[in-house]
Amino acid sequence: MDAFYASVELRDRPELRGKPVVVGGLGPRSVVLSATYEARAFGVRSAMPVGRARRLCPQAVFIPPRHGVYGEVSKEVMAIFRAVTPEVEPLSLDEAFLDVSGATRRLGTPRRIAELIRQQVREQQSITCSVGLAPVKFVAKIASARCKPDGLLVVPADGLLDFLHPLPVSALWGVGDKAEEVLGRLGLRTVGDIAHVPAATLRRELGAAGEHLHALAWGRDERPVTPRREEKSVGAEETFPTDVDDPDVVKKELLRLSGRTARALRASGCVARTVTVKLRLANFKTITRSRTLPEPTDVAREIYAAACALYEGSGLDSRARLRLVGVRATGLRPVSGAARQLAFDERPSGWREAEQAVDRIARRFGADAVRPAALFGSSQDGPAEAPSKTRDEPRILGNEPGV
DNA sequence: TCTGGGGTCCTAGGACCC
DNA sequence: TCTGGGGTCCTAGGACCC
């Protein structure tokens, strides 16, 4: 019994127990991301506009997804995990893999350790957490998902396949709508069905992912718990309150998103080599355009220049109606390892230093204290189209309920 | 029903180099 | 002059996860 998985559940907050809870964004075009059973009873469904959900179920508690304040709880919960073992791999704000093989001598059996964690999270944070325990990482995750809310489920090594095989194919990580459809066409409904079909068949239908699923179906997964995972990309995107066909508005938004992306880069101590622009049309067709820079950067001005050029050269009709734009920086490397060599005749532009100064002001006075002149009158954290967007902070600390 | 925002990973074609 | 094959990088798109 090596790894186990822990997940924290908002649903068990006493004040929310038994209430209809809807998780969704705050913008005018936000949709329902998840809803509790109680909310679903009113007809609330995922992907439904939040406004419609409100009309169907006005008494529901509406929670914005992944909003700021929850981060504090998350840090403290992760600290509880790390007191058990340094082998903690955070998966999201409220979930982590732990490898407890090194902690059993000190703290007892994995089951005992799981009970300890659940007790500490409950006492210190007044929230519950579910823990799945298994000798294989992904099985531990499935176990934690199946014992929530507020549960503990142990899958012993000799019971691995008995646990896995009756599960629906969608229980496996990596099986979403598309893969489930393909598997369904092959007549495969359960994990056991996947296990008993030749790996070559799965590879033909699903590529490398198919072979991976076959291994998972037999409980084979060599991936270890990796405490520090390097970020591969950072970015920002925003759906306009209404579709936009004005290139000036689009560029203004690109400027704002470039600023957010550059700030995130500087905060993580990275520079990026490639800039990608994402453009989603009114009909939901999405295109991306990317460009690799001669030198890596964390400067908003440089990211914006690339983003703008990509947008202008995207081949879209200049009056194309856009629903969403996004800016992402990839090809990250630590800033220290990429210290820029200035050529003899090159003078530092000073933009990087200027933006770092802005970072310091923002840390002290808030993100809105300084912003590019082009964004004057708008909020750095709201879409350019909606300068008066109210920053509805979540009233309830928490994350989406598992439903 | 009409699709958020943060990411990761995979595939496939073409350029380019040896 | 025409051509092989492998490796790597770049670009675009898409599935998937929370």
Side-chain angles (χ1 to χ4, degrees), chain A residues 219-239:
Chain A
R220 291 196 297 266
D221 183 15
E222 305 297 321
R223 291 169 296 181
V225 168
T226 42
R228 261 199 70 84
R229 284 203 300 190
E230 290 168 22
E231 284 176 306
K232 301 275 194 330
S233 74
V234 296
E237 60 187 63
E238 190 102 22
T239 298

Side-chain angles (χ1 to χ4, degrees), chain A residues 40-70:
Chain A
R40 281 167 195 267
F42 286 84
V44 175
R45 298 281 177 271
S46 296
M48 171 186 286
V50 165
R52 192 164 127 77
R54 267 185 215 282
R55 285 194 297 278
L56 284 172
C57 187
Q59 66 271 52
V61 179
F62 283 78
I63 299 174
R66 316 262 174 224
H67 258 265
V69 277
Y70 187 69

Side-chain angles (χ1 to χ4, degrees), chain A residues 228-235 258-275 293 295-300 302-303 328-340 352 355-356 359:
Chain A
R228 261 199 70 84
R229 284 203 300 190
E230 290 168 22
E231 284 176 306
K232 301 275 194 330
S233 74
V234 296
S258 298
R260 266 164 60 182
T261 302
R263 245 180 294 150
L265 278 172
R266 293 191 295 269
S268 67
C270 284
V271 286
R273 271 205 75 202
T274 304
V275 175
L293 308 173
E295 294 295 331
T297 186
D298 59 2
V299 177
E302 293 172 6
I303 292 171
R328 179 158 295 277
T330 62
L332 304 193
R333 63 178 79 164
V335 73
S336 56
R340 295 216 245 161
R352 181 157 202 275
E355 289 182 16
Q356 284 173 326
D359 289 344

Side-chain angles (χ1 to χ4, degrees), chain A residues 126-145:
Chain A
S126 305
I127 52 178
T128 60
C129 73
S130 300
V131 178
L133 265 179
V136 183
K137 195 168 151 183
F138 87 93
V139 179
K141 174 162 172 57
I142 296 175
S144 78

Side-chain angles (χ1 to χ4, degrees), chain A residues 89-362:
Chain A
E89 177 182 340
L91 198 62
S92 69
L93 284 176
D94 64 343
E95 302 171 59
F97 287 112
L98 282 75
D99 182 342
V100 295
S101 33
T104 49
R105 190 179 292 256
R106 185 166 49 94
L107 297 173
T109 63
R111 180 187 283 274
R112 173 77 199 99
I113 294 173
E115 283 164 354
L116 182 74
I117 289 175
R118 280 165 40 75
Q119 180 194 345
Q120 291 190 353
V121 170
R122 189 167 52 243
E123 287 175 4
Q124 295 177 25
Q125 300 298 324
S126 305
I127 52 178
T128 60
C129 73
S130 300
V131 178
L133 265 179
V136 183
K137 195 168 151 183
F138 87 93
V139 179
K141 174 162 172 57
I142 296 175
S144 78
R146 296 191 81 81
C147 70
K148 63 191 190 186
D150 198 13
L152 168 58
L153 179 56
V154 182
V155 181
D158 59 6
L160 205 57
L161 299 185
D162 287 342
F163 171 74
L164 278 179
H165 283 186
L167 299 176
V169 294
S170 58
L172 291 181
W173 245 43
V175 178
D177 290 346
K178 303 285 176 182
E180 190 175 2
E181 196 188 314
V182 172
L183 294 169
R185 266 196 275 111
L186 296 172
L188 310 178
R189 310 257 179 263
T190 67
V191 175
D193 292 343
I194 292 180
H196 290 101
V197 97
T201 305
L202 294 168
R203 171 168 257 289
R204 195 175 58 237
E205 297 291 332
L206 292 166
E211 225 157 343
H212 183 57
L213 290 183
H214 191 259
L216 295 184
W218 285 106
R220 291 196 297 266
D221 183 15
E222 305 297 321
R223 291 169 296 181
V225 168
T226 42
R228 261 199 70 84
R229 284 203 300 190
E230 290 168 22
E231 284 176 306
K232 301 275 194 330
S233 74
V234 296
E237 60 187 63
E238 190 102 22
T239 298
F240 292 115
T242 55
D243 296 339
V244 167
D245 62 3
D246 180 349
D248 288 340
V249 174
V250 173
K251 287 183 200 167
K252 212 172 185 180
E253 184 64 11
L254 287 174
L255 175 60
R256 203 173 60 82
L257 296 171
S258 298
R260 266 164 60 182
T261 302
R263 245 180 294 150
L265 278 172
R266 293 191 295 269
S268 67
C270 284
V271 286
R273 271 205 75 202
T274 304
V275 175
T276 303
V277 163
K278 175 168 163 183
L279 305 167
R280 178 168 289 159
L281 299 164
N283 65 6
F284 222 69
K285 179 180 161 58
T286 306
I287 66 169
T288 61
R289 293 290 181 267
S290 61
R291 166 179 295 183
T292 298
L293 308 173
E295 294 295 331
T297 186
D298 59 2
V299 177
R301 187 155 289 257
E302 293 172 6
I303 292 171
Y304 173 64
C308 240
L310 287 165
Y311 164 61
E312 285 170 345
S314 65
L316 286 182
D317 188 306
S318 68
R319 302 308 291 186
R321 287 171 58 233
L322 290 178
R323 176 186 181 90
L324 166 149
V325 293
V327 174
R328 179 158 295 277
T330 62
L332 304 193
R333 63 178 79 164
V335 73
S336 56
R340 295 216 245 161
Q341 294 276 327
L342 295 177
F344 281 117
D345 57 352
E346 192 183 355
R347 294 203 337 264
S349 69
W351 285 116
R352 181 157 202 275
E353 291 68 22
E355 289 182 16
Q356 284 173 326
V358 171
D359 289 344
R360 288 192 290 275
I361 294 169

